[in-house]
Amino acid sequence: MTASHSDSLVVLFGATAGAYGAKLGSDERELILLVWQVVDLHSKKVGTLHKSLVKADNLDLSDQCREVSGLTPEGLGKAEPLDRVLQQFSQLVSSDLKVLGRSSYTLCSDGQLLIRQVLHPETSKKNFLLSDCFYSFYDLRKEFHSCYPSSAAVKDQTIKTMAEYLGLGTDEAEEDFGVWQVKTMVAIIFSMLSEDHVFTEPETVKYKYETGPCSKSETVDSETVIRARGLPWQSSDQDIARFFKGLNIAKGGVALCLNSQGRRNGEALVRFVNSEQRDLALERHKHHMGSRYIEVYKATGEEFLKIAGGTSNEVAQFLSKENQVIIRMRGLPFTATQEDVLGFLGPECPVTGGKEGLLFVKYPDGRPTGDAFVLFSCEEYAQNALKKHKEILGKRYIELFRSTAAEVQQVLNRYMSTPLIPTLPTPIIPVIPPPYTIATGSIRDCVRLRGLPYTAGIDDILEFMGDATGDIKPHGVHMVLNQQGRPSGDAFIQMKSADKAFMVAQKCHKKMMKDRYVEVFQCSGEEMNFVLMGGTLNRSGLSPPPCKLPCLSPPAYAAFQTAAVIPAEAAALYQPQALLPTTRTPQASTAAPPTVTYYPAQAAQLYMNYTAYYPSPPVSPTTVGYIAAPPGAVAAAATATHTPILPQPGALVRMQGLPYNTGMKEILSFFQGYQDLLHDASARS
């Protein structure tokens, strides 16, 4: 009886320096043994049985490996490395086939772990290619269950249980480790051939990951999706596919996750072709990508569609071109045209289809976001484009990264869903923002950055901190402004722990940002507030402020996670805590009422979703400004929303048309003659 795909099988067995059996490959240990034998499916003859030891880079064998295999580091130290062993494997198989008069063969292994979880991942990490024969193989357990349906389930099969089912009288103790397994597998195959079993449907391993779009209307089985965490921020879909080498990822099945600011957050959702491949992927939990270990967890189809699914015809058309390399461009001037981008890329990296290979990302009202995606027909052109990372276009430097179809869709989804001014609720509705304040306390879980370039923004700080940005608390970046609302050259960062703050201070102290070195000191929230009151902090310690100077805390860099926020310029002008005190009356309660923020109709031009402009994590305002609404409007809002509105004590005055360099002293001077009313304001400031 012959097989439709080949006339011979090469029965293959292997072992690693670590786990054995069902956990083979799960501990990322290297291959140390290969045993194989050719079986002629026509004549039922066999070739020579070969056993080859493999010299691993790490010869520290696990206790289980020593016990089961009987191998020692001394014996393995004399063996050949894996690439040489695989060359010998191909040569010896060809020689045995020639003796048997056959020309083609397919591998046959005990389960899928040896091929998918050991050989493919290891050769990928060692940067050499497996021959084509390792991309197609028969799973003996599946073939056995197909031939004998009444036998145990595939997942419960072993070489021993299959032999026992057939009543094969083999003694494991009589043979060397690996030899008994291969001889028994050959005997099982002969028994199956006697039952007229035909080997027709081999398992396949995809040669490469295929990109492609995903529609929100698709149905994604939750049993096929995983979440990978801890990825390097610059990882591409091809890097992730390489991490899962040997497993079949669905077309367009890698979705890099972005945070609310459009930056990659070190996570990805990966969709496999079936649940079996997904389960094998889960066994790679805490395997390494370079020097980082990657966590792998179960995820759902809904989560995958939320990230990768799209409805835009423009995106679908852009991504319809097969086998294209996608590059993301970020930081483009808002006035940049297609011609400008093509000119920036130049003739050494031609864009697929010219202008048709460019996709500018825009807000729903047509405003550019500064992002664009570009298609290249081959890896060479894409690499040429990546060499232009941080080159200048106009007056801005442009960032270029490898991207994915899923990221294209996710970025488009995020920007197209950005709230616009016309879609906001009635602007008189009160909004109580979350209390984002600088924490106090003696725990030194903060760092101070001193000597920042005055042009430095949040992007520059996050790039300066590198991998440590993942350890910043949400809303933990505080820019310090001077009395004129301009950058002072200082910033405070709240880290997740004192250890993280210490590591950042050690790693980043006197590191260059643009053309300046930046000093980085570990501090506590208490020390942070002390400095904002005029004290000094350096590596020699903390010095108290000379007097009660105005607090220089940074209220202007506000970025709330609400539908609308007050822009930096407006927030600097409207600060009830700093400028306009509460008027105290004998009847006033001792408990201060909570501040309520209003957005009146006449201030509609202040609405803007600033969360789209700042990288993660957003910064934290230390005070919350508000614009007062007329009493009647307040009452109407309260009635409409059924929300109790507390009366606003004191009187507020809104000033429009102030010069941009106006400071506290100029405002107080403007109110000359009303010092009594503003006395508390100047005292509190």
XYZ file of all heavy atoms in Angstrom, residues 429-459:
233
model
N -23.229 70.592 30.899
C -23.266 69.475 31.841
C -21.995 69.465 32.674
O -20.898 69.533 32.130
C -23.416 68.145 31.091
C -24.771 68.107 30.379
C -23.268 66.960 32.017
C -24.983 66.891 29.534
N -22.109 69.410 33.995
C -20.900 69.411 34.820
C -20.124 68.121 34.674
O -20.696 67.058 34.520
C -21.445 69.566 36.245
C -22.830 69.027 36.170
C -23.332 69.350 34.798
N -18.813 68.236 34.716
C -17.925 67.081 34.636
C -17.013 67.105 35.847
O -16.355 68.108 36.101
C -17.076 67.105 33.351
C -16.150 65.911 33.305
C -17.983 67.149 32.130
N -16.998 66.034 36.603
C -16.096 65.949 37.745
C -14.901 65.104 37.340
O -15.021 63.890 37.212
C -16.797 65.335 38.962
C -18.034 66.161 39.314
C -15.849 65.265 40.148
C -18.834 65.588 40.455
N -13.766 65.713 37.064
C -12.606 64.938 36.615
C -12.019 64.131 37.753
O -12.188 64.467 38.915
C -11.627 66.017 36.150
C -12.017 67.224 36.931
C -13.497 67.142 37.168
N -11.314 63.026 37.419
C -10.684 62.215 38.458
C -9.599 62.999 39.170
O -8.960 63.857 38.570
C -10.099 61.027 37.682
C -9.971 61.522 36.283
C -11.073 62.512 36.083
N -9.370 62.720 40.427
C -8.401 63.492 41.214
C -6.969 63.066 40.951
O -6.360 62.369 41.742
C -8.812 63.158 42.649
C -9.384 61.785 42.559
C -10.045 61.694 41.218
N -6.423 63.479 39.805
C -5.034 63.160 39.493
C -4.134 64.153 40.227
O -3.987 65.298 39.810
C -4.780 63.253 37.988
C -5.567 62.281 37.176
C -6.067 62.637 35.924
C -5.824 60.994 37.651
C -6.784 61.740 35.168
C -6.542 60.089 36.892
C -7.013 60.473 35.660
O -7.716 59.580 34.903
N -3.534 63.778 41.302
C -2.673 64.671 42.061
C -1.337 64.000 42.297
O -1.218 62.787 42.240
C -3.303 65.022 43.417
O -3.525 63.814 44.142
C -4.631 65.736 43.218
N -0.348 64.811 42.582
C 0.959 64.266 42.936
C 0.867 63.679 44.333
O 0.479 64.359 45.272
C 2.037 65.353 42.885
C 2.144 65.916 41.457
C 3.383 64.825 43.336
C 3.168 66.991 41.310
N 1.235 62.423 44.450
C 1.130 61.756 45.743
C 2.174 62.298 46.709
O 3.252 62.725 46.318
C 1.307 60.258 45.573
N 1.811 62.294 47.992
C 2.771 62.646 49.022
C 3.171 61.387 49.764
O 2.527 60.355 49.643
C 2.163 63.664 50.001
O 0.995 63.070 50.588
C 1.782 64.944 49.288
N 4.221 61.485 50.546
C 4.678 60.325 51.294
C 6.192 60.246 51.268
O 6.863 60.934 50.490
N 6.728 59.395 52.112
C 8.176 59.285 52.238
C 8.770 58.181 51.374
O 9.985 58.042 51.296
C 8.543 59.031 53.708
O 7.906 57.843 54.169
N 7.925 57.371 50.729
C 8.442 56.313 49.855
C 9.083 56.951 48.628
O 8.447 57.732 47.921
C 7.316 55.357 49.434
C 6.702 54.686 50.655
C 7.847 54.304 48.463
C 5.512 53.812 50.339
N 10.317 56.610 48.358
C 11.063 57.259 47.276
C 10.806 56.542 45.946
O 11.704 55.972 45.324
C 12.549 57.320 47.616
C 12.826 57.904 48.993
C 14.292 58.205 49.211
N 14.654 59.516 48.672
C 15.786 59.785 48.044
N 16.647 58.821 47.829
N 16.051 60.997 47.610
N 9.555 56.630 45.491
C 9.150 55.967 44.256
C 8.999 56.954 43.102
O 8.264 56.696 42.151
C 7.838 55.199 44.469
C 6.707 56.090 44.965
O 6.972 57.271 45.259
O 5.570 55.592 45.059
N 9.681 58.104 43.195
C 9.629 59.114 42.144
C 11.054 59.449 41.699
O 12.020 59.138 42.392
C 8.949 60.394 42.641
S 7.330 60.134 43.383
N 11.146 60.056 40.526
C 12.434 60.579 40.067
C 12.249 62.004 39.583
O 11.195 62.368 39.052
C 13.061 59.721 38.945
C 13.522 58.393 39.466
C 12.110 59.558 37.779
N 13.286 62.803 39.791
C 13.294 64.170 39.279
C 14.236 64.244 38.097
O 15.369 63.766 38.163
C 13.751 65.153 40.364
C 13.820 66.594 39.851
C 14.486 67.515 40.856
N 14.474 68.894 40.370
C 15.113 69.903 40.950
N 15.829 69.683 42.046
N 15.050 71.119 40.449
N 13.786 64.816 36.992
C 14.614 65.067 35.826
C 14.934 66.558 35.810
O 14.009 67.392 35.784
C 13.890 64.674 34.537
C 13.985 63.213 34.081
C 13.433 62.282 35.145
C 13.213 63.016 32.769
N 16.207 66.915 35.864
C 16.618 68.321 35.905
C 17.532 68.622 34.734
O 18.400 67.818 34.391
C 17.342 68.635 37.216
C 17.615 70.125 37.403
C 18.158 70.414 38.788
N 19.522 69.927 38.949
C 20.246 70.082 40.058
N 19.708 70.675 41.104
N 21.480 69.619 40.119
N 17.323 69.786 34.129
C 18.154 70.192 32.997
C 17.605 69.761 31.658
O 18.352 69.630 30.684
N 16.284 69.544 31.588
C 15.676 69.171 30.315
C 15.794 70.314 29.314
O 15.710 71.489 29.693
C 14.193 68.842 30.511
C 13.839 67.637 31.386
C 12.343 67.645 31.680
C 14.225 66.344 30.696
N 15.969 70.011 28.042
C 15.876 71.078 27.040
C 14.491 71.731 27.123
O 13.492 71.059 27.366
C 16.056 70.321 25.712
C 16.737 69.044 26.083
C 16.256 68.702 27.450
N 14.432 73.035 26.939
C 13.149 73.721 27.074
C 12.158 73.313 25.994
O 10.949 73.499 26.144
C 13.360 75.241 27.047
C 14.120 75.752 28.244
C 15.236 76.562 28.093
C 13.726 75.405 29.529
C 15.952 77.017 29.200
C 14.426 75.853 30.646
C 15.533 76.646 30.475
O 16.224 77.083 31.568
N 12.666 72.722 24.931
C 11.771 72.250 23.863
C 11.318 70.816 24.085
O 10.572 70.267 23.281
C 12.492 72.339 22.505
O 13.687 71.548 22.562
C 12.820 73.778 22.158
N 11.789 70.196 25.164
C 11.474 68.778 25.397
C 9.986 68.601 25.698
O 9.392 69.375 26.454
C 12.310 68.235 26.555
N 9.406 67.579 25.112
C 8.019 67.222 25.369
C 7.935 65.847 26.004
O 8.945 65.215 26.334
N 6.708 65.371 26.169
C 6.502 64.070 26.792
C 7.137 62.967 25.951
O 7.732 62.025 26.482
C 4.994 63.783 26.975
C 4.311 64.965 27.665
C 4.784 62.519 27.779
C 4.833 65.253 29.034
N 7.047 63.081 24.622
C 7.668 62.084 23.735
C 9.160 61.957 24.032
O 9.701 60.857 24.099
C 7.481 62.482 22.268
C 6.150 62.036 21.726
O 5.771 60.896 21.995
O 5.495 62.835 21.046
